[in-house]
């Protein structure tokens, strides 16, 4: 007893008497913190500090405020946005023939380019005062997604000027003169922009670009002025082959001190007309057969005036910060939009095809193996659309959420790849044979493009999500890092002291909270909703607390090493991401009015995200270098074991069944898909066959029964089947008419395209 009293007195003295605490706890901890602080390069520091936090900070804190979360309103389109979506967008979609665009012309038709420019598809993010559309992120995302269900090449062409590039950089940083000159020209399509950062030696490590600008005197408009002599070699640049204005990132040096004392000024962005002397628009790349314009650009000793720096002289050397600050919007919209389109198309078409395609005498969608693939597509698409909406909601609130957009970019493109693979498996030969009727092939080929651009996925998962998340979302770490790097040591120590106390309380709360929730199965956690989703809220709060505890311990034990141990830190990033995705699913379910038809999809998604959360923790504990810490964490968080499971077989079957059911659930889940009710249309031919077969399901059922009884011969189809069924009096004369039409549609739908000899061979490269 005396020992306990003594211990309590010591702790109280340490905590309550600042001088004792500072010398015995804070100062050593401060020294330790400075030692283990991850060494940050200036570009990493700028990336880390760019952007905002949002719901990710709640999840990282271990105490998500679900009520606040559900108060966030899903964005609505304005009247102007809705009118554009109903008119201009539909007109554009009807003009797109992706097979022709990709396989024959390797370009969008001129009338499509003209329409896109005239109707300002390139100007969605440009303000009305400059003649732009000034659309919200929600409208931008919807428009790009819907175009992508028709043509990835057209979607990429539209998305790039509305993503990180000249339009966005000018809007945020341009001088009045630059804005007044360029933005109206970009808005009305007079100019087409591209933005060139990547080069042969600088891909993921874009901060290492070798392209240079030297401040010097030169001649411009017949006068001698101070300007920049540029040399660059860039590749992979989207729209470069057709761009009339080039946004260029380069490193600026001022060896003669013409701009000031600083010689190495840093990354700078400038806008250069592509017809300026010395600018060389290079040749085209062929990005996995897609037809969007992508290519190289070079410049040798190109002289430009200082006024061409975006933002003017004041923004010389601030290019990296500008790019990092603006990265979030495009990253949260563009490639996620392509992935959302993949989800919508694969769910709608796989459901239809699995019903239309019959093997072994029945629709392939009735076989359990196929249902497993279908369940994955439907369940994953629920998350894809939920994540698209939630991230767009943050962007519509004016946030620039760097961690959320990194999670969205990475996970949506990865999920897009997974649903595409599953859809290809179900479609088999139908997905492989290219032609006007193949709605999967081009999307399948384009999948790695989304994986690679705007932060290649391995890097995004392993460096950015947790690397940024841990510092940006943690309630204390960023402030502690700032205190530790305060050049005034005493001031830094004082700031650190008050943060440390709170941090210790936070960590203790996470430890005991996790243990309690682990022992009680989180049953005492409050849930904002009752009903079938209530348990998921309890579990997500529990996993959020577990993440807060584990992240703290990982940083404490490994310090700067955690950044290098990408396999470990990525797993904690996965936990954060799966919590975010599960939240998005719950929010959508509520926002959509708790549709009962959605429940199998919601259940799939939530079971999957909890399972993956458990797996990420499992992998982390198994590989964490300090075994004692790993075991302590595992025992505190999962004292009764890790009991999350993959979605059940029954759940997969329920999702698959729903995908083969025409009606509101199917329509709501795939509303982004565009098609024409035409048997020649890419998606329309499958849709028509599916709906006709569903309408006449009872006729097919009767025929199957008759085949079983031997009244109709096996393996008949089309007219032969109609005749035999009529002869056996299994169907009426009217039914025979309907069946004949349906069989024609079915044959078209299971058909693939074929080409006369020589047609394919005509595409010549040599
Ligand atoms: C179709 C297409 C369009 C593009 N459009 C543009 C454009 O308009 N403008 C522009 O400037 N650029 C553009 N890019 C370039 C794009 O942003 C780069 O391709 C991307 O940054 C990756 O660079 P890289 O391809 O050289 O891959 P690399 O940098 O060589 O990376 C190779 C692999 O290593 C991984 N990796 C690298 N470093 C790390 C690390 N530290 N930790 C973990 N993994 C790591 C990457 O994730 C990747 O998987 C485009 C590229 C393509 C393919």
């Amino acid at each position: 007893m005396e020992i306990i009293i003594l211990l309590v007195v010591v702790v109280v003295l340490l905590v309550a008497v600042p001088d004792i605490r500072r010398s015995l706890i804070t100062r050593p901890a401060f020294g330790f913190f400075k030692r283990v602080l991850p060494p940050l390069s200036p570009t990493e520091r700028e990336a880390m500090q760019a952007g905002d936090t949002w719901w990710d900070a709640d999840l990282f804190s271990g105490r998500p405020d679900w009520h606040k979360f559900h108060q966030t309103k899903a964005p609505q389109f304005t009247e102007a946005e809705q009118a554009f979506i109903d008119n201009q967008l539909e007109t554009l979609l009807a003009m797109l023939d992706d097979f022709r665009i990709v396989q024959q012309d390797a370009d969008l038709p001129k009338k499509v380019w003209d329409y896109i420019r005239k109707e300002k598809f390139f100007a969605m993010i440009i303000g009305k005062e400059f003649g732009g559309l000034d659309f919200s992120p929600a409208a931008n995302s919807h428009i790009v997604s819907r175009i992508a269900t028709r043509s990835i090449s057209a979607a990429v062409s539209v998305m790039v000027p509305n993503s990180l590039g000249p339009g966005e950089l000018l809007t945020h940083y341009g001088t009045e003169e630059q804005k007044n000159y360029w933005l109206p020209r970009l808005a009305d399509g007079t100019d087409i922009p591209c933005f060139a950062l990547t080069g042969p030696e600088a891909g993921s490590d874009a901060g290492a670009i070798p392209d240079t600008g030297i401040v010097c005197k030169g001649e411009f408009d017949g006068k001698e002025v101070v300007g920049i002599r540029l040399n660059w070699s860039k590749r992979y640049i989207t729209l470069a082959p057709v761009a009339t204005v080039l946004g260029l990132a380069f490193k600026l040096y001022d060896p003669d001190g013409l701009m000031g004392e600083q010689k190495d000024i840093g990354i700078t962005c400038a806008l250069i007309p592509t017809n300026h002397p010395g600018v060389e628009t290079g040749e085209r790349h062929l990005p996995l057969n897609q037809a969007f314009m992508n290519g190289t650009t070079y410049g040798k000793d190109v002289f430009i005036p200082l006024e061409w720096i975006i933002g003017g002289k004041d923004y010389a050397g601030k290019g990296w910060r500008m790019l990092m600050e603006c990265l979030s919007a495009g990253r949260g919209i563009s490639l996620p939009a392509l992935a959302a389109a993949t989800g919508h198309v694969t769910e709608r078409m796989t459901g239809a095809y699995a019903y239309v395609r019959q093997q072994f005498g029945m629709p392939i969608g009735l076989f359990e193996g196929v249902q497993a693939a279908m369940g994955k597509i439907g369940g994953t698409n629920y998350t894809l659309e939920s994540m698209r909406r939630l991230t767009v909601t943050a962007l519509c609130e004016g946030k620039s959420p760097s961690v959320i957009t990194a999670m969205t970019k990475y996970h949506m493109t990865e999920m897009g790849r997974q649903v595409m693979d599953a859809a290809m498996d179900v479609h088999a030969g139908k997905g492989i044979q290219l032609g006007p009727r193949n709605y999967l092939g081009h999307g399948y080929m384009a999948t790695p493009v989304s994986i690679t651009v705007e932060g290649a996925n391995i890097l995004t998962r392993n460096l950015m999500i947790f690397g940024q998340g841990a510092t940006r979302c943690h309630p204390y770490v960023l402030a502690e890092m700032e205190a530790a790097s305060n050049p005034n040591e005493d001031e830094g120590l004082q700031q650190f002291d008050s943060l440390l106390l709170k941090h210790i309380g936070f960590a203790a709360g996470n430890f005991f909270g996790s243990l309690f929730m682990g022992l009680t199965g989180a049953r005492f956690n409050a849930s904002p909703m009752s009903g079938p989703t209530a348990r998921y809220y309890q579990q997500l709060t529990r996993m959020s607390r577990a993440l807060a505890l584990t992240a703290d311990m990982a940083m404490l034990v490994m310090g700067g090493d955690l950044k290098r141990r990408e396999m470990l830190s990525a797993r904690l990033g996965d936990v954060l991401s799966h919590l975010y995705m599960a939240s998005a699913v719950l929010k959508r379910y509520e926002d959509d009015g708790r549709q009962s038809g959605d429940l199998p999809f919601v259940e799939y998604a939530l079971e999957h995200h909890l399972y993956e959360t458990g797996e990420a923790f499992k992998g982390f504990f198994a590989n964490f270098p300090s075994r004692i810490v790993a075991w302590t964490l595992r025992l505190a968080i999962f004292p009764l074991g890790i009991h999350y499971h993959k979605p059940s077989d029954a759940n997969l079957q329920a999702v698959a069944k729903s995908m083969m059911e025409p009606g509101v659930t199917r329509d709501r889940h795939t509303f982004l898909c565009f098609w024409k009710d035409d048997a020649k249309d890419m998606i329309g031919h499958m849709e028509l066959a599916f709906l006709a077969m569903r309408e006449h399901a009872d006729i097919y059922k009767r025929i199957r029964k008759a085949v079983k009884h031997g009244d109709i011969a096996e393996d008949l189809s089309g007219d032969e089947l109609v005749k035999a069924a009529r002869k056996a009096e299994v169907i009426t004369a009217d039914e025979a008419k309907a069946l004949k039409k349906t069989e024609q549609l079915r044959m078209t739908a299971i058909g693939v395209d074929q080409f006369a000899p020589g047609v394919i061979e005509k595409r010549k490269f040599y």
Side-chain angles (χ1 to χ4, degrees):
M1 187 63 186
E2 285 84 358
I3 292 176
I4 293 173
I5 293 171
L6 192 67
L7 269 175
V8 171
V9 170
V10 169
V11 171
V12 169
L13 273 177
L14 281 176
V15 173
V17 184
D19 285 346
I20 300 181
R21 184 181 68 237
R22 275 191 205 125
S23 60
L24 290 184
I25 302 180
T26 313
R27 196 172 285 283
F30 193 52
F32 173 76
F33 198 83
K34 282 185 145 197
R35 266 199 317 281
V36 300
L37 189 73
L40 293 178
S41 65
T43 47
E44 278 175 321
R45 185 177 294 278
E46 282 182 349
M48 192 96 51
Q49 287 169 352
D52 305 310
T53 58
W54 193 60
W55 178 239
D56 46 337
D58 266 61
L59 292 171
F60 208 94
S61 74
R63 292 148 184 82
D65 182 345
W66 294 106
H67 288 286
K68 183 185 79 184
F69 180 60
H70 280 296
Q71 274 161 14
T72 317
K73 291 263 174 298
Q76 305 288 322
F77 298 140
T78 62
E79 262 179 44
E81 289 168 348
Q82 192 62 58
F84 187 91
I85 286 166
D86 294 341
N87 297 297
Q88 284 91 332
L89 177 59
E90 293 302 293
T91 306
L92 173 66
L93 292 167
M95 291 163 84
L96 299 172
D97 172 353
D98 200 49
F99 185 71
R100 198 190 174 102
I101 289 170
V102 169
Q103 302 296 339
Q104 186 167 306
D105 301 342
D107 193 1
L108 305 178
K110 184 176 177 308
K111 65 175 186 189
V112 170
W113 277 112
D114 290 347
Y115 190 75
I116 285 174
R117 291 162 87 150
K118 178 172 139 273
E119 294 300 336
K120 306 189 174 180
F121 278 86
F122 286 154
M124 286 192 274
I125 60 166
I126 295 178
K128 282 211 178 78
E129 65 277 29
F130 299 106
L133 294 175
D134 201 11
F135 280 176
S136 64
N140 184 350
S141 162
H142 178 99
I143 291 164
V144 175
S145 303
R146 196 152 157 82
I147 299 174
T149 70
R150 193 80 181 150
S151 165
I152 298 280
S153 296
V156 172
S157 306
V158 166
M159 114 198 164
V160 165
N162 290 299
S163 197
L164 180 56
E168 172 126 29
L169 293 172
L170 282 168
T171 302
H172 284 96
Y173 309 102
T175 61
E176 283 311 304
E177 207 182 342
Q178 287 172 340
K179 285 187 196 173
N180 290 333
Y181 179 76
W182 285 112
L183 289 176
R185 295 172 64 89
L186 292 172
D188 69 12
T190 306
D191 278 308
I192 294 188
C194 69
F195 189 77
L197 175 64
T198 307
E201 296 286 8
S204 301
D205 189 7
I209 41 173
D211 313 287
T212 55
I214 308 291
V215 181
C216 61
K217 287 190 179 155
E219 199 182 300
F220 184 73
D221 265 353
K223 284 185 233 145
E224 192 188 63
V225 295
V226 174
I228 304 169
R229 196 177 63 247
L230 289 163
N231 282 284
W232 74 87
S233 163
K234 304 283 191 183
R235 66 176 183 182
Y236 300 169
I237 310 306
T238 304
L239 294 184
V242 291
T244 57
V245 56
L246 165 72
L248 185 77
F250 56 90
K251 281 191 176 150
L252 185 63
Y253 300 92
D254 183 12
D256 300 330
L258 295 174
M259 283 181 74
E261 299 206 335
Q262 204 177 343
K263 295 210 178 322
D264 179 355
I265 296 178
I267 293 179
T268 301
C269 301
L271 269 193
I272 307 167
T274 53
N275 59 6
H276 185 64
V279 178
E280 190 190 333
T281 297
E283 290 169 327
R284 256 182 95 174
H285 297 302
L286 183 53
L288 286 172
N289 251 4
Q290 302 302 302
F292 60 85
M293 291 291 154
N294 187 266
T296 53
T297 162
Y298 308 97
K300 186 152 173 36
D301 293 331
V302 177
F303 183 77
I304 63 164
L306 290 179
E307 288 69 39
W308 288 9
I309 295 174
I310 299 178
K313 280 179 253 178
D314 292 348
Y315 280 84
K318 300 204 170 124
W320 191 253
R321 207 193 80 200
M322 289 156 66
L323 294 176
M324 288 304 114
E325 281 172 359
C326 291
L327 182 66
S328 288
R331 191 168 62 185
I333 293 173
S334 305
L335 298 162
L338 302 193
T342 307
H344 283 242
V345 171
T346 52
E347 178 172 342
R348 190 164 191 100
M349 288 297 93
T350 309
Y353 186 67
Y355 190 80
V356 168
R357 178 66 173 162
Q358 303 187 359
Q359 288 291 279
F360 303 100
M362 60 182 195
I364 56 169
L366 300 183
F367 295 110
E368 287 203 3
V370 175
Q371 288 174 344
M374 293 173 74
K376 184 175 184 178
I377 294 169
T380 306
N381 185 35
Y382 198 89
T383 299
L384 276 168
E385 177 58 17
S386 308
M387 196 177 202
R388 183 183 79 85
R389 286 195 209 174
L390 185 60
T391 298
V392 156
T393 302
L395 295 170
C396 283
E397 285 195 353
K399 299 279 176 202
S400 183
S402 47
V403 179
I404 284 180
T405 54
M407 293 194 286
T408 305
K409 192 273 163 175
Y410 171 76
H411 284 280
M412 284 193 68
T413 55
E414 286 296 330
M415 286 187 284
R417 166 148 75 178
Q418 288 163 15
V419 294
M420 181 54 87
D421 277 351
M424 288 295 280
D425 288 354
V426 174
H427 281 77
K430 169 84 181 164
I432 290 167
Q433 302 302 352
L434 289 177
R437 274 182 289 177
N438 187 328
Y439 40 76
L440 290 180
H442 291 169
Y444 178 75
M445 286 192 278
T447 298
V449 174
S450 300
I451 300 290
T452 299
V453 298
E454 295 206 11
N457 271 12
I458 296 180
L459 173 104
T460 304
R461 171 172 177 254
N462 288 273
L463 264 190
M464 321 233 339
I465 297 176
F466 183 77
Q468 276 195 351
T471 36
R472 289 311 314 264
C473 301
H474 194 288
Y476 305 110
V477 160
L478 191 59
E480 285 165 348
M481 282 168 90
E482 273 156 14
S485 57
N486 191 333
N488 181 336
E489 178 100 7
D490 284 343
E491 204 179 272
L493 185 67
Q494 216 161 19
Q495 290 162 343
F496 191 79
D497 182 53
S498 77
L499 289 165
L500 187 69
L501 263 191
K502 291 186 203 149
H503 197 153
I504 291 171
F506 172 74
N510 291 337
F511 182 85
F512 291 111
S514 289
L515 184 60
F516 179 72
M517 291 183 211
L519 288 170
T520 57
R523 286 189 186 277
F524 294 100
N525 283 358
S527 164
M529 303 294 163
S530 54
T533 54
R535 279 293 290 147
Y536 294 111
Y537 286 97
Q538 293 176 324
Q539 289 300 330
L540 293 180
T541 300
R542 174 185 170 200
M543 287 300 99
S544 159
R545 191 67 68 94
L547 173 64
L549 172 65
T550 311
D552 254 346
M553 291 309 290
M555 287 189 277
L556 183 70
V557 173
M558 299 190 68
D561 256 1
L562 192 56
K563 192 178 109 181
R564 280 181 289 280
R565 296 294 303 273
E566 291 183 349
M567 291 191 207
L568 277 177
S569 59
R571 290 189 177 100
L572 295 184
D574 289 347
V575 172
L576 181 63
S577 303
H578 284 288
L579 295 180
Y580 180 75
M581 289 186 272
S583 314
V585 166
L586 288 165
K587 174 110 174 62
R588 175 179 173 196
Y589 177 61
E590 294 302 325
D591 287 350
D592 283 358
R594 298 179 150 224
Q595 303 295 326
S596 60
D598 288 358
L599 268 178
F601 297 81
V602 171
E603 185 188 328
Y604 175 97
L606 295 172
E607 291 291 327
H608 168 77
H609 294 307
L610 274 177
Y611 173 78
E612 291 298 333
T613 301
E615 288 300 291
F617 272 124
K618 222 187 255 179
F620 180 85
F621 298 144
N623 292 286
F624 196 66
S626 166
R627 301 312 303 144
I628 184 147
V629 171
W631 275 108
T632 311
L633 283 171
R634 192 179 166 125
L635 271 179
I637 295 167
F638 298 105
L640 307 177
I642 301 179
H643 295 301
Y644 298 131
H645 300 288
K646 282 186 174 178
S648 68
D649 293 355
N651 178 222
L652 290 166
Q653 284 174 318
V655 171
K657 198 165 160 260
S658 174
M659 285 167 65
M660 291 188 285
E661 206 65 63
V664 284
T665 302
R666 179 170 182 263
D667 290 344
R668 278 192 306 101
H669 288 190
T670 59
F671 69 91
L672 288 171
C673 285
F674 174 87
W675 72 91
K676 295 181 200 165
D677 283 331
D678 178 343
K680 286 203 185 105
D681 183 72
M682 184 169 77
I683 288 181
H685 78 289
M686 184 62 64
E687 192 63 19
L688 288 173
F690 170 67
L691 293 178
M693 286 184 72
R694 285 303 321 212
E695 193 185 337
H696 303 300
D698 63 318
I699 301 181
Y700 280 100
K701 209 166 159 191
R702 256 182 281 146
I703 290 175
R704 272 201 292 274
K705 218 166 155 190
V707 170
K708 230 177 187 175
H709 285 157
D711 300 335
I712 299 178
E714 280 181 11
D715 304 329
L716 295 180
S717 63
D719 285 355
E720 281 181 352
L721 178 69
V722 179
K723 273 187 209 146
R726 186 74 193 105
K727 197 169 163 202
E729 295 188 358
V730 174
I731 54 173
T732 65
D734 280 351
E735 286 174 337
K737 244 195 223 163
L739 183 63
K740 188 174 165 153
K741 195 164 168 229
T742 307
E743 278 290 283
Q744 279 165 359
L745 289 169
R746 189 178 70 80
M747 294 309 285
T748 308
I750 62 166
V752 296
D753 299 288
Q754 50 242 342
F755 304 93
V759 170
I760 296 173
E761 292 83 342
K762 261 193 225 149
R763 297 175 303 174
K764 288 219 177 312
F765 285 98
Y766 301 99

